[in-house]
Amino acid sequence: MQKVFINQGITILPEILNDLRIKKIFLVVGNNAYQSIENLIKPYTKSASIETFIMTDSNFKTIISGCEKLKQSNSDLIIAIGGGRIIDAAKLISVTALSKENYENVIRGKEIIKNKFLPLLVMPTTAGTGSEATSFSVVYLGKKKFSIASEKLLPEYVIADTSLVQEMPNYLKACTLFDAFSQAIESFWSVNATDMSRKYARRAIELINMNLKGYLNNESKNTKNMVEAAYYSGKAINISKTTLPHALSYFLTIKYNVSHGHAVALTLGFIGKINYNSGCDNLKKVMNDICLMLHIDIKNFEKYWYNLMQVGGLETKLSNLGVKKEDLELIVDSVNVERLKNHPLNIEKEILIKELNKIF
Ligand SMILES: [Fe+2]
């Protein structure tokens, strides 16, 4: 069972270190903020020594070198402080299955992760991906994206606090916010949704909808609520997984460098509309429930969504993002089949291309 401390400050950290009798910490951080992060946690980690591993990128060589450094470090606990990319990498570093030889087998799902090397405590610095709450990790092998799933990847401890949320450009804030928002909405309509996952998704949707504008304007109260929302969005997709908007997003991110949350949000507006217009009665009800949480009429879902993206400063036209018209078909063809299976409606390729043309 994960131990979670949301918006309770960082003072819980020395208590955890004491309880676990931690002598040495293996700290995983990103390359841009590691100095300020080390300084931030120093007062709370006095009882232990720290070996820092800086993630320069998310390539498998860096992750493997992290695994090897960890094995030599004699540490008792891994602490990862950063955004989703850092937390995802630290999750992989925390398991023992990874070595140069079997890395490819593990990411291609041919080999199961069997054991944990050390427990992992994560402290997210963005209010967005919800990676702290999931048992999957996204990595790249060359330009191909893989999502690895294993119970062993779930961090044992989460300290998510407003004081950890790093300042970042508004565009990136909007991208992480729309990732969390899309994840929560997709989770709610996913074929794998359960009462529990819907409870988490509802909490995230309502919090994000209420706090979106204030969060983008750096209001601390709203940031606090976004930290909680991001966590619940992660909890929700950990059960239900993501669906069609995520499945369609990867081509835009890999080929056109569109940030993940932005790429996902681009198609969610029209997919929500199609879900209602062409879905069965049950799916219509699900879409109505989502709209009740957003305080809108279902007829306005698509318009509401693209307006919100514009409020967040996210471009809603594919052509303005440099996407070429001849690639619209490729976006649909390169869809992630695993994610597609979670979508509650089978939408024909021609309809998707027609809708992509409308947002071109
Ligand atoms: Fe996502």
Side-chain angles (χ1 to χ4, degrees):
M1 189 71 161
Q2 204 179 36
K3 291 208 166 111
V4 183
F5 306 91
I6 297 179
N7 289 323
Q8 294 176 36
I10 317 176
T11 47
I12 191 74
L13 181 58
E15 285 179 37
I16 297 172
L17 298 180
N18 254 341
D19 284 355
L20 298 174
R21 297 174 203 274
I22 301 301
K23 294 269 176 296
K24 190 172 179 188
I25 295 162
F26 189 77
L27 177 66
V28 181
V29 287
N31 47 348
N32 35 17
Y34 79 93
Q35 202 66 61
S36 60
I37 284 171
E38 272 186 349
N39 292 338
L40 180 79
I41 64 157
K42 237 178 215 159
Y44 307 98
T45 53
K46 281 182 187 148
S47 59
S49 62
I50 298 178
E51 180 165 336
T52 304
F53 179 70
I54 300 169
M55 288 289 305
T56 44
D57 54 53
S58 299
N59 289 332
F60 89 95
K61 278 187 186 154
T62 313
I63 292 171
I64 295 298
S65 104
C67 293
E68 278 157 12
K69 286 229 161 70
L70 172 67
K71 281 172 194 165
Q72 292 156 11
S73 76
N74 232 346
S75 303
D76 323 285
L77 175 74
I78 306 167
I79 297 184
I81 308 180
R85 185 178 68 88
I86 301 299
I87 293 176
D88 273 9
K91 283 157 127 179
L92 281 171
I93 291 171
S94 74
V95 296
T96 46
L98 284 184
S99 68
K100 214 177 229 158
E101 295 70 40
N102 64 2
Y103 182 86
E104 265 202 62
N105 281 339
V106 168
I107 70 168
R108 290 183 197 283
K110 290 180 190 159
E111 193 173 324
I112 295 163
I113 295 172
K114 293 185 194 81
N115 286 306
K116 193 108 187 179
F117 188 74
L118 276 187
L120 171 64
L121 183 153
V122 297
M123 299 165 81
T125 57
T126 57
T129 66
S131 170
E132 65 273 17
T134 71
S135 50
F136 21 89
S137 174
V138 170
V139 285
Y140 288 83
L141 192 61
K143 281 207 144 190
K144 206 165 165 26
K145 178 182 187 290
F146 292 89
S147 182
I148 307 164
S150 165
E151 286 292 305
K152 306 279 179 218
L153 293 173
L154 187 73
E156 280 72 14
Y157 297 88
V158 178
I159 299 178
D161 192 71
T162 327
S163 63
L164 292 162
V165 177
Q166 302 271 307
E167 273 190 29
M168 56 181 161
N170 254 16
Y171 172 71
L172 290 180
K173 268 179 101 168
C175 288
T176 51
L177 180 154
F178 272 92
D179 185 24
F181 209 173
S182 305
Q183 286 174 178
I185 291 175
E186 286 179 57
S187 174
F188 202 87
W189 72 41
S190 166
V191 293
N192 308 312
T194 63
D195 287 349
M196 191 57 96
S197 73
R198 286 217 166 112
K199 202 176 123 196
Y200 297 143
R202 177 185 292 275
R203 180 93 183 118
I205 293 169
E206 289 176 343
L207 278 172
I208 298 170
N209 199 44
M210 267 189 308
N211 293 283
L212 184 142
K213 288 176 191 160
Y215 171 66
L216 291 172
N217 287 326
N218 298 317
E219 303 285 343
S220 65
K221 187 179 124 253
N222 304 103
T223 306
K224 200 173 167 186
N225 288 334
M226 280 302 301
V227 167
E228 190 184 333
Y231 173 74
Y232 280 109
S233 150
K235 288 278 276 184
I237 57 158
N238 196 40
I239 297 171
S240 69
K241 312 292 181 297
T242 53
T243 64
L244 185 55
H246 266 75
L248 287 169
S249 73
Y250 303 119
F251 180 86
L252 291 168
T253 297
I254 291 169
K255 175 139 189 205
Y256 290 104
N257 243 336
V258 181
S259 196
H260 171 67
H262 189 178
V264 173
L266 278 164
T267 60
L268 191 137
F270 71 71
I271 291 171
K273 173 189 68 182
I274 301 172
N275 278 352
Y276 182 79
N277 289 345
S278 309
C280 61
D281 285 352
N282 190 41
L283 185 52
K284 283 190 200 303
K285 189 190 169 300
V286 165
M287 286 310 302
N288 263 325
D289 284 349
I290 292 171
C291 289
L292 277 174
M293 292 173 222
L294 301 174
H295 307 292
I296 56 167
D297 189 283
I298 181 66
K299 287 189 209 87
N300 301 325
F301 178 83
E302 187 182 25
K303 200 170 160 210
Y304 180 77
W305 184 257
Y306 291 119
N307 276 345
L308 272 190
M309 282 180 71
Q310 279 162 1
V311 168
L314 297 188
E315 177 59 56
T316 55
K317 292 284 174 205
L318 293 171
S319 55
N320 292 340
L321 290 163
V323 178
K324 296 205 174 72
K325 197 146 200 165
E326 59 266 30
D327 276 351
L328 297 188
E329 201 172 333
L330 268 178
I331 296 175
V332 182
D333 284 342
S334 61
V335 78
N336 177 299
V337 185
E338 256 331 285
R339 302 273 171 287
L340 192 63
K341 281 188 211 152
N342 306 328
H343 200 75
L345 181 68
N346 191 3
I347 305 173
E348 280 170 28
K349 184 180 165 181
E350 288 65 35
I351 294 174
L352 288 174
I353 293 172
K354 204 170 134 194
E355 291 292 336
L356 285 170
N357 266 295
K358 286 189 199 162
I359 61 157
F360 182 71

